[in-house]
């Protein structure tokens, strides 16, 4: 009996603190809905392990709304209003409207951080949170995330930054590494890791422009707003950034360009990918009744398919009509009466469940990173129609790996569509490449979600990752590049040569007194 009581007491002492879990703040008040794919699966897993999670978001996260131990602070004013932007289908077909769109995006990037800061720090719920609560860990989204940088410092908690894509420009340098512009293409370009001199030059200038004017330029502005509204003693953001415990990137060599990474960077790309679940009965009946299989057609949540110009819609309809395969078409508007029998329009696309279905043959997409990750995970070849942002970059990698074709919206015709779809369905190279990448992506020592959970709890257990901090963080750029060392070596090499030169010159210099005496004797 005494032994039982002793064991029970030990269990209470050890197990209860673990069962209580840690208090985690996820600050992701900016960006698009697709960025939730990085932190929502992680939130669900952390909650299942007994942690308490608070989410600050600009969209309501429906997947975790009913979970215990999850609290949401939903800042509706920060949701992206797509109505302010022109019709993307029209933009992609008109070069002048592309310029107008680029100007509008730059204007938004210039104004957004300060507006985000004023709105976030001015929200009464956030102010109450900052004034009266504490957290063991802060996780921030790096999508326009300057506003979230000081949360970890304020709560005296370690911080994990989460990138919705690859490592952002400037982040590697802050972690003590080089940016590697020579082979790491900037995510808003269509370049690959094999760049010409011209492309490397443009790649460098574009990345530096993004870092300087989208990031560095706003550091002081957002910092001053935080000091005014929340805490006047906040140190410069650049010092806070250098002390992040980890950075999670939504990347993996199977769908992102490989690069060297500092030890504080953990790749967790595709952590939202999962095996397919059973489809709703009507969809299952539709996709299972065709021996030729089916194709999925979706372009994400940010762009409304029904805004597509009628001539492009007709090109798709006519191309799909000629296919023996069936087509699941993401369509949120009123269903068109002119769709042929092999097309089913659905307002909500259970994309992973469709891509993982045994009868899925191909995927037509805008080239969003999450969509391509799911295509790779399920081994499905792709036809991509990028709009902008990182989509051309993503498609460039997909084409390089051999499982995708890219078309431009301005070039769409029935014939071009039919040819592209026929190629990915019947040219075995695309299917083999998709299956090869799927096998590589799944062949990891631990799944990306499990890896993200491990490192999150690692930071909690050890209160940070000081042991992973590179000594180069404290060096100036010229010191990291060994410019001072090269100068010393040059001096060591050049000094003896100079001394020898001056000695020889001195010895060989004409001596007037001796010369004149010799002349007189003659």
């Amino acid at each position: 009996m005494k032994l039982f009581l002793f064991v029970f007491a030990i269990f209470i002492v050890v197990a209860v603190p673990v069962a209580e879990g840690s208090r985690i703040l996820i600050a992701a008040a900016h960006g698009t809905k697709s960025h939730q794919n990085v932190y929502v699966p992680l939130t669900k897993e952390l909650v299942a392990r007994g942690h308490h999670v608070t989410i600050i978001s600009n969209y309501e996260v429906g997947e975790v709304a009913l979970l215990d131990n999850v609290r949401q602070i939903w800042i509706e004013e920060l949701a992206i209003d797509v109505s302010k932007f022109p019709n993307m289908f029209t933009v992609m077909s008109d070069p002048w409207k592309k310029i107008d769109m680029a100007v509008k995006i730059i204007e938004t990037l210039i104004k957004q951080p300060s507006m985000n800061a004023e709105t976030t720090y001015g929200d009464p719920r956030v102010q109450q949170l900052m004034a009266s609560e504490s957290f063991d860990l802060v996780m921030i989204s790096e999508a326009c995330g300057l506003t979230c940088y000081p949360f970890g410092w304020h709560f005296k908690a370690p911080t994990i930054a989460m990138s919705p894509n690859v490592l952002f420009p400037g982040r590697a340098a802050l972690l003590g590494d080089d940016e590697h512009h020579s082979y790491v293409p900037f995510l808003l370009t269509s370049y690959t890791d094999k760049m010409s001199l011209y492309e490397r030059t443009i790649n460098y200038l574009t990345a530096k422009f993004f870092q300087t004017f989208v990031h560095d330029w706003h550091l002081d502005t957002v910092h001053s707003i935080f000091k005014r509204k929340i805490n006047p003693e906040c140190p410069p953001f650049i010092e806070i950034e250098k002390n992040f415990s980890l950075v999670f990137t939504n990347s993996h060599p199977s769908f992102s360009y490989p690069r060297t990474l500092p030890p504080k960077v953990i790749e967790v790309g595709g952590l939202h990918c999962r095996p397919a679940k059973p489809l709703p009965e009507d969809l299952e009946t539709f996709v299972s009744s065709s021996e030729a299989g089916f194709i999925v057609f979706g372009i994400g949540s940010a762009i409304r398919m029904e805004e597509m110009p009628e001539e492009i819609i007709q090109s798709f309809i006519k191309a799909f009509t000629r296919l023996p395969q069936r087509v699941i078409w993401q369509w949120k508007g009123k269903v068109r009466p002119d769709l042929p029998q092999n097309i089913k329009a659905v307002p909500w696309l259970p994309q992973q469940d469709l891509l993982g279905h045994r009868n899925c043959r191909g995927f037509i997409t805008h080239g969003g990173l999450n969509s391509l990750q799911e295509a790779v995970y399920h081994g499905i070849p792709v036809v991509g129609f990028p709009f902008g942002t990182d989509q051309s970059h993503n498609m460039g990698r997909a084409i390089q790996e051999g499982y995708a074709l890219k078309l431009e919206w301005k070039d769409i015709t029935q014939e071009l569509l039919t040819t592209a779809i026929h190629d990915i369905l019947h040219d075995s190279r695309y299917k083999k490449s998709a299956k090869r990448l799927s096998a590589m992506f799944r062949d990891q020592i631990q799944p990306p979600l499990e890896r993200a959970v491990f490192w999150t709890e690692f930071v909690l257990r050890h209160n940070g990752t000081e042991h992973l901090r590179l000594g180069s963080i404290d060096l100036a750029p010229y010191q990291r590049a060994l410019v001072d060392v090269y100068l010393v070596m040059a001096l060591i090499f050049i000094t003896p040569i100079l001394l020898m030169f001056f000695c020889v010159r001195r010895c060989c210099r004409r001596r007037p007194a001796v010369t004149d005496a010799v002349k007189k004797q003659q």
Side-chain angles (χ1 to χ4, degrees):
M1 184 65 179
K2 289 182 179 180
L3 179 60
F4 171 79
L5 291 175
F6 176 77
V7 173
F8 181 76
I10 294 295
F11 173 79
I12 292 297
V13 171
V14 175
V16 168
V18 175
E20 287 180 353
S22 301
R23 291 173 54 82
I24 300 172
L25 172 65
I26 296 180
H30 322 106
T32 65
K33 280 186 177 181
S34 63
H35 296 166
Q36 294 181 359
N37 283 333
V38 178
Y39 64 84
V40 168
L42 182 56
T43 297
K44 294 161 76 172
E45 191 64 26
L46 290 171
V47 168
R49 297 168 73 96
H51 299 291
H52 304 261
V53 179
T54 297
I55 299 176
I56 302 175
S57 175
N58 55 340
Y59 295 97
E60 185 177 20
V61 187
E63 290 185 58
V64 300
L66 300 179
L67 294 178
D68 294 333
N69 294 342
V70 175
R71 174 180 50 166
Q72 293 190 58
I73 297 177
W74 176 20
I75 308 178
E76 297 180 66
E77 303 95 307
L78 294 179
I80 297 176
D81 185 0
V82 295
S83 65
K84 293 182 179 180
F85 295 93
N87 184 310
M88 286 301 299
F89 297 100
T90 305
V91 168
M92 298 309 296
S93 60
D94 188 337
W96 292 106
K97 290 188 177 180
K98 280 187 179 181
I99 297 175
D100 292 340
M101 184 67 175
V103 171
K104 198 168 192 64
I105 291 174
I106 292 173
E107 290 177 350
T108 301
L109 290 174
I110 291 173
K111 298 176 182 177
Q112 199 72 23
S114 57
M115 188 275 285
N116 288 345
E118 292 284 358
T119 304
T120 303
Y121 302 149
D123 190 287
R125 296 165 296 176
V126 175
Q127 292 180 342
Q128 177 65 24
L129 187 85
M130 305 287 273
S132 61
E133 299 198 29
S134 63
F135 293 93
D136 303 301
L137 174 67
V138 172
M139 307 183 75
I140 65 169
S141 173
E142 286 205 292
C144 302
L146 291 177
T147 302
C148 307
Y149 283 179
F151 284 13
W153 169 85
H154 178 83
F155 290 113
K156 297 180 173 57
T159 300
I160 296 177
M162 299 178 293
S163 169
N165 203 293
V166 295
L167 202 63
F168 282 2
R171 172 62 59 209
L174 287 171
L175 295 175
D177 193 15
D178 295 326
E179 292 296 321
H180 306 295
H181 297 297
S182 59
Y183 73 93
V184 178
F186 179 46
L187 77 163
L188 298 184
T189 70
S190 58
Y191 298 151
T192 70
D193 56 354
K194 306 289 191 299
M195 290 178 277
S196 64
L197 173 61
Y198 169 79
E199 290 172 335
R200 291 198 307 274
T201 303
I202 299 300
N203 186 61
Y204 170 79
L205 293 175
T206 307
K208 294 300 289 184
F209 174 86
F210 181 90
Q211 178 185 340
T212 302
F213 291 99
V214 179
H215 178 270
D216 298 352
W217 192 43
H218 290 289
L219 282 178
D220 292 337
T221 302
V222 179
H223 179 248
S224 64
I225 297 172
F226 182 82
K227 291 177 67 176
R228 171 167 49 87
K229 287 184 173 287
I230 304 296
N231 193 327
E233 298 180 359
C234 181
F237 279 9
I238 194 73
E239 297 303 320
I240 293 176
E241 285 186 285
K242 287 182 179 179
N243 291 307
F244 285 170
S245 294
L246 292 175
V247 178
F248 288 163
T249 60
N250 190 20
S251 59
H252 184 270
S254 59
F255 42 75
S256 306
Y257 294 104
R259 60 165 294 171
T260 58
L261 293 169
K264 284 191 175 184
V265 177
I266 308 297
E267 290 191 302
V268 296
L271 58 76
H272 73 290
C273 296
R274 55 168 176 77
K277 298 177 181 178
L279 293 171
E281 186 176 349
D282 60 330
L283 274 181
E284 179 62 40
T285 301
F286 182 79
V287 301
S288 298
S289 56
S290 171
E291 294 183 1
F294 68 93
I295 295 170
V296 180
F297 181 23
I299 55 173
S301 59
I303 299 173
R304 296 172 61 86
M305 189 84 77
E306 56 272 22
E307 293 180 351
M308 191 186 299
E310 183 62 27
E311 61 270 20
I312 298 181
I313 293 177
Q314 289 301 323
S315 294
F316 276 106
I317 291 177
K318 291 175 181 177
F320 292 158
T321 302
R322 299 167 61 179
L323 297 174
Q325 289 78 21
R326 299 198 166 183
V327 179
I328 305 294
W329 191 338
Q330 175 197 10
W331 188 276
K332 296 180 181 179
K334 184 179 179 181
V335 178
R336 298 175 61 97
D338 58 342
L339 297 180
Q341 291 185 348
N342 71 323
I343 299 177
K344 186 176 183 63
V346 294
W348 173 72
L349 204 63
Q351 190 162 287
Q352 291 212 66
D353 303 328
L354 288 166
L355 293 176
H357 194 280
R358 63 186 183 280
N359 285 354
C360 186
R361 301 290 184 266
F363 184 25
I364 302 175
T365 175
H366 61 314
L369 181 58
N370 293 314
S371 292
L372 290 181
Q373 288 174 352
E374 293 168 11
V376 167
Y377 180 84
H378 295 288
I380 302 299
V382 167
V383 175
F385 298 87
F387 286 97
T389 61
D390 63 334
Q391 294 159 19
S392 291
H393 176 88
N394 302 333
M395 286 303 304
R397 179 60 172 166
I399 293 168
Q400 187 184 69
E401 288 295 340
Y403 70 93
L405 285 173
K406 184 177 80 168
L407 299 178
E408 300 293 340
W409 286 101
K410 63 181 179 62
D411 299 329
I412 288 179
T413 62
Q414 173 189 341
E415 291 73 20
L416 193 63
L417 281 170
T418 302
T419 301
I421 295 172
H422 183 274
D423 285 346
I424 67 162
L425 293 180
H426 300 288
D427 189 333
S428 61
R429 292 176 298 176
Y430 295 100
K431 186 66 174 179
K432 287 180 179 178
S433 295
K435 291 299 183 184
R436 172 180 57 84
L437 285 173
S438 178
M440 290 172 56
F441 177 54
R442 293 174 183 240
D443 190 9
Q444 301 186 49
I445 195 168
Q446 61 183 166
L449 179 56
E450 185 178 318
R451 182 161 57 250
V453 171
F454 167 81
W455 280 104
T456 300
E457 294 187 328
F458 182 95
V459 172
L460 285 167
R461 288 193 297 270
H462 301 284
N463 195 35
T465 57
E466 189 63 25
H467 66 297
L468 296 179
R469 179 185 172 93
L470 293 176
S472 53
I473 290 178
D474 301 317
L475 297 177
Y478 74 87
Q479 292 174 313
R480 292 183 194 174
L482 295 178
V483 173
D484 50 349
V485 174
Y486 295 147
L487 288 174
V488 170
M489 293 174 63
L491 286 174
I492 292 173
F493 177 75
I494 293 174
T495 299
I497 297 176
L498 291 175
L499 288 174
M500 185 179 299
F501 171 77
F502 285 116
C503 288
V504 171
R505 183 181 178 187
R506 177 133 184 119
C507 293
C508 297
R509 189 175 60 182
R510 182 172 178 267
R511 297 180 180 181
V514 175
T515 304
D516 293 343
V518 171
K519 286 183 177 180
K520 288 179 180 179
Q521 290 178 359
Q522 292 176 350

